[in-house]
């Protein structure tokens, strides 16, 4: 039994007290605690195991079942590790690619998201060029990158995926994605299976951020120099809309304004999550429409 000790002051009448949970017998306290836990347990039980669209969050058995029941489309998000000046973290492309791929897969249905490909070409290493001049950027040769995509796609095909779609969040390797898709389709087209797999480089996913999204920002009064080509307003806004913890907003508001020498082309000072949501919605909706058209065309 849980006991409470009371020491009333002499000659001072005690005011009536509301019953304390600590004054209840231990059995009652245990029952109340168990009662409070029941709704939480019920909520957990209401979420079916293996319902995630993320391949890494499924067991092998769960994935096998999902493929057997029609989930034969897989997205391969591609990010990268590159500098984005002093105010945006190095992993921006990885985070955006993974989060947007999840949203696209959920809208498509019967779609799984493979792990994000994080190692990509970023320019010459020695002597360093482009982003490699700044700490943290990781670059691999284009041939190695293409080999990684080929191996990943071949693995996914082996397990029963029939539509394998590359989603590249960075402009520098869009041609490499297309090269790999073309090479795989030539090889798979010679396979004996009547309905074999196909690979796609969904260039629309990236292109929309360089066209319609820029136009939407310009409609709202932002100029090209401010929107920028790298780590400017557009880049920071997209990041604020996906993971604001990767943007150093306080430092950006009060610190020096970076320029080309700092790895920045644009001005992110006025970036907001609301502006980023415009771009995120364009990327997700455009990708969903484009993928549905691809799948319908190749039935």
């Amino acid at each position: 039994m849980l006991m409470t000790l009371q020491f009333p002051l002499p000659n001072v009448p005690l005011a009536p007290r509301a019953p304390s949970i600590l004054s209840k017998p231990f059995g009652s306290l245990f029952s109340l605690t168990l009662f409070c836990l029941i709704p939480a347990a019920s909520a957990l039980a209401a979420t079916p195991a293996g319902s995630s669209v993320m391949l890494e969050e499924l067991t092998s058995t769960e994935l096998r079942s999902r493929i057997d029941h029609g989930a034969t489309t897989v997205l391969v998000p591609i990010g990268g590790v590159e500098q984005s000046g002093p105010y945006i973290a190095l992993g921006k492309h990885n985070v955006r690619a993974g989060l947007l791929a999840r949203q696209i897969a959920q809208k498509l249905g019967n779609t799984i998201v493979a792990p994000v490909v994080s190692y990509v070409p970023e320019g010459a290493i020695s002597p360093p060029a482009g982003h490699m001049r700044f700490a943290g950027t990781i670059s691999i040769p284009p041939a190695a990158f293409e080999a990684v995509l080929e191996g990943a796609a071949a693995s996914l095909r082996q397990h029963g995926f029939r539509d394998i779609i590359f989603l590249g969040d960075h402009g520098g390797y869009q041609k490499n994605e297309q090269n790999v898709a073309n090479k795989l389709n030539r090889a798979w087209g010679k396979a004996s299976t009547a309905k074999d797999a196909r690979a796609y480089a969904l260039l629309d996913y990236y292109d929309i951020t360089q066209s319609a999204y820029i136009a939407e920002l310009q409609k709202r009064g932002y100029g090209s120099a401010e929107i920028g080509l790298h780590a400017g307003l557009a880049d920071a806004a997209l990041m604020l809309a996906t993971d604001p913890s990767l943007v150093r907003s306080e430092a950006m508001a009060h610190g020096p304004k970076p320029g080309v020498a700092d790895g920045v082309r644009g001005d992110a000072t006025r970036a907001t999550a609301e502006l980023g949501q415009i771009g995120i919605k364009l990327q997700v909706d455009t990708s969903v429409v484009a993928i549905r058209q691809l799948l319908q065309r190749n039935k």
Side-chain angles (χ1 to χ4, degrees), residues 21 34 45 47 63 91 96 111 138 160 199 202 226 230 236 247 251 259 268 293:
I21 191 171
L34 184 61
T47 304
L63 180 64
R96 287 208 303 245
T111 302
I138 298 175
L202 195 74
E226 183 178 12
H230 182 73
V247 181
Q293 289 175 345

Side-chain angles (χ1 to χ4, degrees), residues 84 86-88 231-233 236-237 240 247-258 264 267-272:
S84 288
Y87 304 133
I88 302 177
L233 181 138
L240 287 169
V247 181
R248 309 297 185 254
S249 297
E250 188 68 20
M252 186 167 66
H254 300 100
K257 187 176 294 186
V264 174
D267 184 356
T269 309
R270 295 200 292 165
T272 65

Side-chain angles (χ1 to χ4, degrees), residues 4 37 39 42 50 73 94 96 107 142 150 184 186 194 203-204:
T4 58
L37 289 175
S42 300
T73 299
N94 294 332
R96 287 208 303 245
K107 284 201 168 189
E150 286 179 39
L184 290 173
R186 285 194 298 270
L203 305 185
D204 292 4

Side-chain angles (χ1 to χ4, degrees), residues 1 24 65 72 74 91 125 140 148 168 188 192 224 238 259 280:
M1 178 179 290
K24 298 290 184 183
S65 177
T72 57
V74 61
I125 296 173
I140 66 169
V148 167
W188 295 347
S192 58
S224 298
L238 290 170
I280 297 303

